[in-house]
Amino acid sequence: MSLALSTLLFEWRRYMAAVMALALSGLLVLAMTGVFIGIGKGFTATIERSSADIIVMQPGAKSLIGGPQGVPRRFIPLVYNNRDVVEVKPLDGSGGSFQSVRNVDPTISQAERARQGAPSQEFVQALVIDTAPGSVTIPTDYSPELVDALRQPYTVAIDETALTKLGVKLGDKALYNGQTVTVVGITRGYPNMMSSTIIMSRDTLRMLGQADTGPRVGPLMVKIRNPADAERVAAELNAAGNGQWKAWTRQELADANQMAMFDEGILVIIIGGCVVLGTIIGIAITWQTLRGAIMANIKEFASLRALGVGMGSLNLIVMELSFWVGCVGVLAAIVLTMGVQALAASNAVIIALPPLLLLIVGGGLVVIAMLSGLLSLGVLKNSQPADLLR
């Protein structure tokens, strides 16, 4: 075991402030970035969790967030021309006004409505699934009971994050565009960050008079025989489309959705501000902590110099010590962030932590620790052997 690592293990209290400074800096950046990535995942969860292996969109579409995505309806039989394709369904949807029946019940007083916290009327997005067993549009985490319930006419499911806003609960009736629907399911993991979303069957959307029967449809959800061949089949579809569409594997589209969140200028400014603030705090506190710890051990360093250890070797010891402090800080940052992630998940908020983000932030924290150690090297000039005689 090296001298630097032994020093950190046996005198860990002196370096705890530096470790916590790095951990909190990492937590700030990871949590803020993870929240924004989680918001994007909330928007695209229905597709990313579907059983579709490939999604076909317009050639100019870069993600599911913003921009045109639909394709002409005539593309559906063209996609079926590939021998590996077994099912193609368009992702349909609509929107309209949603109102809890309690809000129009004349027997409920205004005060009672206010106490229940139910809004008078809300605009909602409506997404559809096909309720045939194993359909490509059914998210993989939907239970068979939920799908069975949505097979009934005029039934909807709502994510738990929208219940309070819409003023309904399981079993309640509500008005969607003036027609009565029943809440038969509560989903989890599909947070409604902005406008609320309701899920219904394609048949129910048709009965409500909102089914898309025009020449254009939404993105095409494609299921193939062997999901392991998704990249090959997507390439074949792109070649067959001759630029008329773009076929994405589900993972490619998920990655594109994550990156699309950073195309928003305000998000880049917010995250950039967090990075700058975290870097300043991390360097300042870690530098002062390391400097104080070295000063506390100045006699030990003076003893090493008296034994013939050169300043270059002492500098390496300090830099190695800084490296290990950075590594412990990274570990503490990840543990704290996962704790916050679990707390957020219990309140239906997604904090996404992709491995690349952990790698970038972890590497940044180690660099901050090394820079702090570099700034602390000047203290070693005070480690004069003659000081041991005082």
Side-chain angles (χ1 to χ4, degrees):
M1 183 181 295
S2 66
L3 177 61
L5 185 56
S6 299
T7 301
L8 179 61
L9 291 176
F10 288 100
E11 299 188 18
W12 59 270
R13 292 178 181 84
R14 289 180 176 175
Y15 299 94
M16 184 55 64
V19 170
M20 291 309 300
L22 292 172
L24 293 177
S25 298
L27 173 63
L28 176 64
V29 177
L30 286 173
M32 290 297 295
T33 308
V35 164
F36 289 126
I37 296 177
I39 290 174
K41 283 188 171 293
F43 284 124
T44 61
T46 301
I47 287 184
E48 292 180 5
R49 299 180 193 175
S50 73
S51 55
D53 303 300
I54 296 172
I55 297 91
V56 176
M57 299 192 297
Q58 281 193 14
K62 297 181 179 179
S63 70
L64 286 170
I65 302 175
Q69 303 156 0
V71 296
R73 186 181 296 275
R74 61 184 176 85
F75 284 179
I76 296 178
L78 296 181
V79 174
Y80 268 117
N81 286 336
N82 189 290
R83 64 185 182 279
D84 292 298
V85 172
V86 296
E87 184 181 5
V88 181
K89 292 288 185 181
L91 187 68
D92 203 354
S94 186
S97 62
F98 188 96
Q99 189 175 21
S100 170
V101 170
R102 291 198 301 265
N103 294 324
V104 295
D105 187 346
T107 64
I108 298 180
S109 66
Q110 193 69 27
E112 178 63 16
R113 294 175 193 169
R115 187 189 67 78
Q116 293 173 349
S120 58
Q121 195 174 58
E122 289 286 342
F123 178 82
V124 298
Q125 298 285 346
L127 293 179
V128 304
I129 64 169
D130 296 278
T131 54
S135 175
V136 68
T137 55
I138 299 177
T140 54
D141 58 348
Y142 276 22
S143 66
E145 293 76 17
L146 175 59
V147 177
D148 287 341
L150 289 175
R151 287 194 182 100
Q152 304 304 314
Y154 299 100
T155 56
V156 299
I158 301 176
D159 191 77
E160 61 181 357
T161 56
L163 293 177
T164 301
K165 183 178 181 181
L166 298 179
V168 293
K169 63 182 184 299
L170 186 64
D172 278 1
K173 294 187 179 298
L175 297 179
Y176 174 71
N177 282 349
Q179 300 189 63
T180 303
V181 295
T182 304
V183 180
V184 296
I186 305 297
T187 61
R188 182 177 177 83
Y190 298 82
N192 299 165
M193 298 297 183
M194 295 183 182
S195 61
S196 301
T197 301
I198 63 176
I199 307 297
M200 63 181 67
S201 69
R202 196 180 299 272
D203 291 334
T204 292
L205 188 68
R206 176 176 51 80
M207 294 174 186
L208 293 170
Q210 290 192 315
D212 190 353
T213 57
R216 296 188 67 84
V217 294
L220 301 182
M221 315 292 286
V222 182
K223 181 186 290 188
I224 62 177
R225 300 183 192 281
N226 184 6
D229 295 332
E231 291 187 6
R232 176 182 61 79
V233 176
E236 291 177 356
L237 288 174
N238 284 325
N242 195 26
Q244 297 180 87
W245 62 61
K246 182 174 181 180
W248 304 70
T249 66
R250 190 170 60 244
Q251 186 57 51
E252 287 175 346
L253 188 56
D255 295 340
N257 292 334
Q258 291 183 11
M259 297 307 299
M261 292 298 300
F262 298 98
D263 290 338
E264 301 293 333
I266 186 63
L267 298 186
V268 175
I269 293 174
I270 293 174
I271 295 175
C274 292
V275 171
V276 172
L277 181 61
T279 301
I280 293 175
I281 294 174
I283 291 179
I285 298 179
T286 306
W287 170 33
Q288 291 301 314
T289 301
L290 289 175
R291 187 174 185 277
I294 294 171
M295 285 296 296
N297 290 330
I298 200 65
K299 289 188 177 182
E300 285 79 0
F301 284 109
S303 299
L304 291 175
R305 291 194 64 184
L307 292 173
V309 178
M311 283 296 296
S313 298
L314 294 182
N315 289 338
L316 288 176
I317 291 174
V318 172
M319 293 305 295
E320 183 186 351
L321 181 60
S322 303
F323 171 77
W324 288 117
V325 167
C327 290
V328 177
V330 170
L331 180 61
I334 293 175
V335 171
L336 287 175
T337 306
M338 287 184 173
V340 173
Q341 183 185 39
L343 180 62
S346 66
N347 291 279
V349 176
I350 298 176
I351 297 182
L353 299 174
L356 180 60
L357 175 62
L358 296 177
L359 183 62
I360 292 174
V361 175
L365 292 179
V366 173
V367 170
I368 289 175
M370 298 293 284
L371 287 175
S372 301
L374 189 63
L375 293 173
S376 304
L377 293 180
V379 180
L380 290 177
K381 296 179 180 178
N382 298 325
S383 60
Q384 299 299 326
D387 293 337
L388 295 174
L389 302 175
R390 295 179 182 176

